[in-house]
Amino acid sequence: MKKKLGLVLGGGGSLGAYEVGALKALNELGLKFDIVTGTSIGAINAFFVATNQIDKLIELWENITVEQVVKNSVNINAKLITKFSFKKAFKALRAFGRIKRANITPFKDLCKRNIDPNLIKDDTIKIGIVTTEFPSFKKRKIVLNEIPAELRLQYLHASSACFPIFPVEKIKDKHYVDGGYKDNMPVEFCFELGADEIILIDMGMPNVPRYEERLCSLPNVKRIQNKSTFKSIMDFEKETLEKNMKQGYLDALKCFGKYVGKKYYFIKENNIIEKENELVKRIIKRPRLFSLYLKNRKEKGNIIYFFVESLLNKIKANKLEVYKFNDAINLVKANFKKLRKKEKELLKLIEELYFI
């Protein structure tokens, strides 16, 4: 019997762009899913996956703005904090400060225009989403295929009711808030719906509960994980969204072995890897470089690339580029003055082994 492949999409507001970049890569790799579960923005993205509308989802994220999410608002990002403006701060407080006045009509209109609940048919990929009852804070699991079409969009809004930024969502006589309060990465739900293997897209939200972390670490769960510094969930700046999408795309390809590296992305070159044992032998004989070896020896992957990463990191090289080994070394050489003695010694060793 064919194993059923599940997809889990976590919540994270505007970080959903990272998810979409990863979905683009998975689509290019030809992966097909039998089950999709999602929470919050992950629930909305899940709808487009299940209804085979990845291209439409990408287009939506490429063009979305904060004005299409919350009326009379501004992006909550580093610029707002570092370049403080009373006018912008007041605007943000006015939009987000009081639940009863937060106006997410633009977001609901955007969803209404682009989400057709009737596209979910009997033969559609099974879609499970999570929301949270309010004020009891009980987890509620919904299978969209099993509820009336007229309630599907409402429950998508219930899953993504990012309280207290977004208002509470009312359906019939019950109230709901974001599913992330109880289960931001619904891996267990995906297994319950029949998945044998799972691909999880983890946007790197902080404070993951232990039980959830254990589920995410199971051998039949392949985890595409955003390991960069946590960013705002309400930053819809075009440049930020583009970077998040690109990182998600590259992280997904790295997860499937198309690239190697930890914080950077390298094209894997076998002729480079063949010499790494010799490089390690030379490094451990140099007291100044031995600590660098100790720091990286337990990392999964080819250690040569971790050494090169330490050089790229020192010169603050772009982390969203894909590097060939030679190109990375040439970039470091072009920024030689930025290196300390230790890095210069490492660069010399690499040059001696690979270029002489």
Side-chain angles (χ1 to χ4, degrees), residues 279-303:
L279 180 64
V280 169
K281 288 178 184 178
R282 297 185 186 191
I283 282 175
I284 60 178
K285 291 178 182 178
R286 307 287 181 103
R288 204 184 339 244
L289 299 179
F290 188 63
S291 61
L292 185 64
Y293 165 71
L294 291 176
K295 182 180 178 181
N296 290 292
R297 64 176 176 165
K298 292 184 179 180
E299 292 289 350
K300 293 180 180 179
N302 302 107
I303 199 167

Side-chain angles (χ1 to χ4, degrees), residues 104-301:
I104 61 166
T105 303
F107 178 66
K108 289 200 168 184
D109 288 344
L110 180 71
C111 290
K112 189 176 181 179
R113 289 195 306 271
N114 291 282
I115 293 176
D116 180 359
N118 294 304
L119 289 177
I120 300 175
K121 309 291 184 183
D122 291 339
D123 59 349
T124 304
I125 295 168
K126 193 173 288 186
I127 316 171
I129 66 171
V130 176
T131 184
T132 305
E133 291 186 10
F134 184 84
S136 66
F137 280 90
K138 291 181 181 178
K139 180 164 71 173
R140 180 86 185 274
K141 294 179 283 189
I142 307 290
V143 180
L144 292 184
N145 315 62
E146 299 174 358
I147 64 172
E150 63 270 18
L151 293 178
R152 289 168 183 163
L153 185 54
Q154 286 181 270
Y155 274 108
L156 285 172
H157 285 308
S159 180
S160 55
C162 188
F163 179 86
I165 297 175
F166 284 14
V168 172
E169 184 71 22
K170 184 179 180 182
I171 302 176
K172 294 183 178 179
D173 60 342
K174 292 190 175 181
H175 296 82
Y176 300 92
V177 293
D178 199 291
Y181 278 102
K182 301 302 292 185
D183 191 357
N184 198 48
M185 292 187 289
V187 173
E188 186 176 35
F189 191 18
C190 199
F191 280 129
E192 288 173 1
L193 293 178
D196 299 300
E197 297 176 342
I198 286 173
I199 295 173
L200 161 66
I201 304 177
D202 175 3
M203 290 186 279
M205 294 291 284
N207 304 317
V208 178
R210 285 186 180 180
Y211 80 92
E212 203 168 281
E213 186 62 50
R214 285 196 295 270
L215 287 169
C216 296
S217 303
L218 289 171
N220 53 343
V221 176
K222 198 173 189 70
R223 188 178 191 177
I224 301 165
Q225 188 174 21
N226 180 359
K227 294 182 179 179
S228 64
T229 306
F230 178 69
K231 304 179 182 73
S232 168
I233 64 170
M234 283 303 295
D235 184 358
F236 289 89
E237 287 270 1
K238 187 174 180 61
E239 182 182 356
T240 303
L241 295 179
E242 287 174 351
K243 285 181 178 178
N244 287 340
M245 284 182 71
K246 187 172 184 181
Q247 186 183 349
Y249 178 80
L250 293 174
D251 280 350
L253 292 177
K254 185 193 287 185
C255 186
F256 280 83
K258 300 298 180 182
Y259 301 125
V260 294
K262 185 179 179 183
K263 294 182 179 179
Y264 288 82
Y265 307 89
F266 299 94
I267 296 171
K268 191 173 182 178
E269 300 168 82
N270 290 331
N271 61 316
I272 301 299
I273 296 166
E274 287 169 1
K275 295 183 179 180
E276 71 175 16
N277 286 337
E278 179 58 32
L279 180 64
V280 169
K281 288 178 184 178
R282 297 185 186 191
I283 282 175
I284 60 178
K285 291 178 182 178
R286 307 287 181 103
R288 204 184 339 244
L289 299 179
F290 188 63
S291 61
L292 185 64
Y293 165 71
L294 291 176
K295 182 180 178 181
N296 290 292
R297 64 176 176 165
K298 292 184 179 180
E299 292 289 350
K300 293 180 180 179

